Amino acid sequence: MAEENRLRIGPKEGVTYPIQVVYCGNCTMPIEYCEYYPEYDRCKQWLEKNLPREFEKVKIGDNSDTAIGEEEKKRQKRGGKGIIKTKKKEEGPKQVCVSRAPRGKKKSVTVVTGLSTFDIDLKVAAKFFGQRFACGSSVTGDDEIVIQGDVKDDLFDVIPEKWSEIDEDFIEDLGDQKR
Amino acid sequence: MFKKFDEKESISGILQLKSSVQKSIRSKILESYPHLENYLDTILPKKDAFKIVKCHDHIEVLINSSGEQQFFRHREGQWMPTLRLLHKYPFFLPMQQVDKGAIRFVLSGANIMCPGLTSPGAQMTEVEKDTVVAIMAEGKEHALAIGKTTLSTADIAKINKGIGVENCHYLNDGLWQMKAIK
């Protein structure tokens, strides 16, 4: 039986490992499990946008399944709360703020906040700023990078260049800050 | 195990491993998963420096040098592969298939109950008690959870009640959501 074979342990012949599994960009699960995600519609949208070919398959499957599928589902219906909760993503305003803070009498540092709202690794970003401006740069808080020296004006060009998803309009200038 | 796991809160430290410890972990993994023999070098290259991420509740996660999670274990238990790794090499764990109705419960972290393993849509491969198994689903290609049997398959079929497989790691749980660690 072919089905029996499917569960057999051991590498299958004619398959090269590692297998590349396509994951959904919305729910991160393999595409075939999207339908069990509460935000299936969003998954579909993602699929349509990124993998139109797979989307067609899902659509065809959906239509032919409805008639037969419902009957099947009835047989294996179960009670209880089997609802998967979605991880709530905090959808704050996506914005990067840059400001200048004085340091001593005539020196200043640049404070960058809000980079993590764009899912950027702060450690990497700090390293990049340090290398770019040849200065010290460190992660100082939950969502804060301090760059030594006044590089605020340069940041408006550098950030969109490095991370294309951040447009210059997303960067706000808070001006000078008191320490 | 990872239902309430959170990347930020649950990690207590990251250790670089000594090469002697690496060797012993490698051999332990090979011992428990003999089918990996030809592939272990690509999963855990000999020269690579792995790290261990220590987490709360006595969980340890083995990561490779690029920060991807590869294996995890609870206390001194057996090393279990993460789902991402298992999706790449699906053959090295014995597989149990649950029926369609069980999928959504498993995906929200429930243990696998015996009836879900014995109904017409399900299939079992014979294993002993306390074996690490991959949970597959009716009509799906990839694994959706990794668990440990609490009964042997013969007992599951006989008793047909209660928990058959303990759910250790499932799609979209804390470990799955964890990002690569630098």
Side-chain angles (χ1 to χ4, degrees), chain B residues 36-182:
Chain B
L36 265 185
E37 201 179 346
N38 298 328
Y39 299 93
L40 196 64
D41 280 343
T42 44
I43 300 171
L44 301 169
K46 269 189 187 136
K47 289 278 159 62
D48 211 2
F50 340 128
K51 288 176 195 159
I52 275 203
V53 181
K54 295 220 172 197
C55 311
H56 292 176
D57 299 328
H58 307 275
I59 290 169
E60 292 177 325
V61 183
L62 187 71
I63 60 174
N64 66 6
S65 58
S66 59
E68 286 160 37
Q69 294 82 25
Q70 309 279 38
F71 288 90
F72 67 93
R73 73 168 174 183
H74 182 232
R75 291 182 188 269
E76 292 297 298
Q78 200 183 351
W79 285 101
M80 296 185 236
T82 60
L83 273 169
R84 275 183 218 273
L85 181 71
L86 187 74
H87 284 159
K88 284 182 197 158
Y89 306 91
F91 54 81
F92 68 90
L93 283 186
M95 298 175 213
Q96 309 294 348
Q97 183 178 311
V98 295
D99 58 30
K100 256 188 195 149
I103 296 178
R104 61 195 186 110
F105 296 97
V106 176
L107 284 183
S108 48
N111 293 326
I112 289 89
M113 301 293 156
C114 294
L117 287 164
T118 51
S119 74
Q123 265 181 16
M124 288 194 284
T125 46
E126 231 169 82
V127 289
E128 283 306 303
K129 195 186 155 189
D130 289 332
T131 322
V132 177
V133 291
I135 312 294
M136 320 297 281
E138 182 187 1
K140 305 285 179 195
E141 191 187 336
H142 302 294
L144 80 158
I146 287 169
K148 200 173 186 185
T149 49
T150 53
L151 296 168
S152 68
T153 39
D155 279 345
I156 291 178
K158 210 165 67 194
I159 298 171
N160 205 10
K161 216 171 196 174
I163 298 168
V165 182
E166 188 194 339
N167 195 344
C168 293
H169 170 40
Y170 56 95
L171 286 176
N172 253 337
D173 68 355
L175 181 63
W176 176 264
Q177 297 278 355
M178 210 159 134
K179 287 189 196 100
I181 294 174
K182 296 253 162 51

Side-chain angles (χ1 to χ4, degrees), chain A residues 57-100:
Chain A
K57 267 193 232 164
V58 174
K59 245 166 96 189
I60 294 164
D62 264 4
N63 291 339
S64 59
D65 258 7
T66 40
I68 321 154
E70 262 171 51
E71 217 167 294
E72 237 177 282
K73 264 175 208 157
K74 259 178 207 160
R75 182 167 54 82
Q76 290 185 337
K77 211 170 185 179
R78 252 153 242 194
K81 39 177 179 160
I83 306 152
I84 309 162
K85 280 173 209 145
T86 26
K87 276 256 160 90
K88 267 178 216 154
K89 267 187 207 156
E90 277 182 33
E91 292 278 321
K94 282 194 164 183
Q95 199 174 44
V96 179
C97 297
V98 295
S99 60
R100 203 170 63 116

